[in-house]
Amino acid sequence: VSKSVKPIKIVVIGSGGVGKSALTLQFSKSKFFLDYDPTIEDSFSKSCYIDNEMARLDILDTAGQEEFTSMREQYMRLGQAFLVVFSVTDRKGFEEVDSLIQLIYRVKDREAFPIMVAGNKIDLQNDRCIDQSLAQELVQRHQEFNPYCAYIETSAKTRLNVDLVFHDLVRLLRLYNAKG
Ligand code: GDP
Ligand code: MG
């Protein structure tokens, strides 16, 4: 892996317990954790080819422990692309998605920015309370002015769409950078 490839700074945000760490660790280490410490905030890197182009992903798995919102804004300012996670089994987590996306626009001072929204825990079909259509409607509202926003359903447990969600985020960033 060439060291000359500039790392892409990805920030993973969302409510507590939705699977931010599980998605990050499944993607970067191919492991599923049942009780990863919810207070750990750490970065993980992974290099991979995406559409025949090498990418170095530098993923910040946030833990929402920031005492001051200014700290949150500081790491968000460094993010080049965002993964906003909710759980399809948790209504409260879903309700926070819109304000988190608004926070990204505000901190980046842009009304379009690369954002993947992940509806996680799709393996827990019986506990599902957020329909796919509901999440898609939310993302479609953003797509009216942010073409770099997309929705995908994932399971960190079964690894369903775990590579895809990170790869698609890099694809959105590449499009965003190409359009200037
Ligand atoms: P975080 O607070 O957002 O980082 O959430 P975690 O990644 O620590 O996950 C919280 C809990 O949900 C843990 O017990 C995980 O094992 C579990 N979990 C995370 N993702 C999934 C998933 O896709 N399916 C299932 N069944 N459990 C998950
Ligand atoms: Mg966590």
Side-chain angles (χ1 to χ4, degrees):
V1 173
S2 164
K3 280 256 160 66
S4 64
V5 180
K6 248 188 161 185
I8 295 166
K9 291 205 177 302
I10 290 175
V11 179
V12 184
I13 57 176
S15 298
V18 296
K20 297 180 297 296
S21 301
L23 283 170
T24 303
L25 291 159
Q26 184 61 278
F27 176 67
S28 60
K29 300 193 180 303
S30 293
K31 279 184 195 150
F32 178 64
F33 289 80
L34 278 171
D35 49 10
Y36 187 77
D37 185 339
T39 66
I40 293 180
E41 188 157 287
D42 206 353
S43 286
F44 299 85
S45 51
K46 167 143 173 158
S47 297
C48 49
Y49 280 94
I50 301 168
D51 304 329
N52 295 318
E53 195 186 325
M54 174 59 76
R56 256 179 78 197
L57 284 68
D58 201 339
I59 306 161
L60 177 66
D61 170 32
T62 67
Q65 299 293 307
E66 302 78 25
E67 211 172 313
F68 306 101
T69 42
S70 64
M71 282 174 71
R72 171 186 268 198
E73 295 195 2
Q74 195 167 319
Y75 67 57
M76 289 184 72
R77 226 166 279 136
L78 298 173
Q80 294 172 278
F82 290 84
L83 177 58
V84 181
V85 185
F86 71 92
S87 164
V88 298
T89 66
D90 167 23
R91 184 163 294 278
K92 199 186 133 281
F94 177 70
E95 283 166 358
E96 283 181 27
V97 169
D98 197 68
S99 57
L100 286 171
I101 297 176
Q102 302 293 349
L103 183 61
I104 296 167
Y105 298 146
R106 191 159 57 74
V107 171
K108 304 310 287 193
D109 198 20
R110 294 272 188 284
E111 67 163 18
F113 208 76
I115 299 167
M116 283 298 295
V117 178
N120 188 42
K121 305 200 188 184
I122 200 74
D123 57 289
L124 298 176
Q125 281 299 348
N126 294 336
D127 300 325
R128 184 173 187 135
C129 62
I130 304 298
D131 280 350
Q132 186 166 9
S133 57
L134 196 63
Q136 255 156 0
E137 273 168 34
L138 181 143
V139 168
Q140 271 162 14
R141 280 201 303 278
H142 284 278
Q143 283 171 336
E144 283 172 24
F145 52 90
N146 181 8
Y148 312 102
C149 184
Y151 177 61
I152 197 164
E153 304 207 316
T154 59
S155 168
K157 186 178 181 181
T158 69
R159 222 176 187 284
L160 181 81
N161 291 341
V162 169
D163 286 334
L164 189 62
V165 70
F166 284 98
H167 290 191
D168 276 359
L169 187 53
V170 172
R171 291 182 175 111
L172 288 173
L173 177 65
R174 285 174 179 170
L175 282 172
Y176 178 81
N177 287 340
K179 296 275 159 63

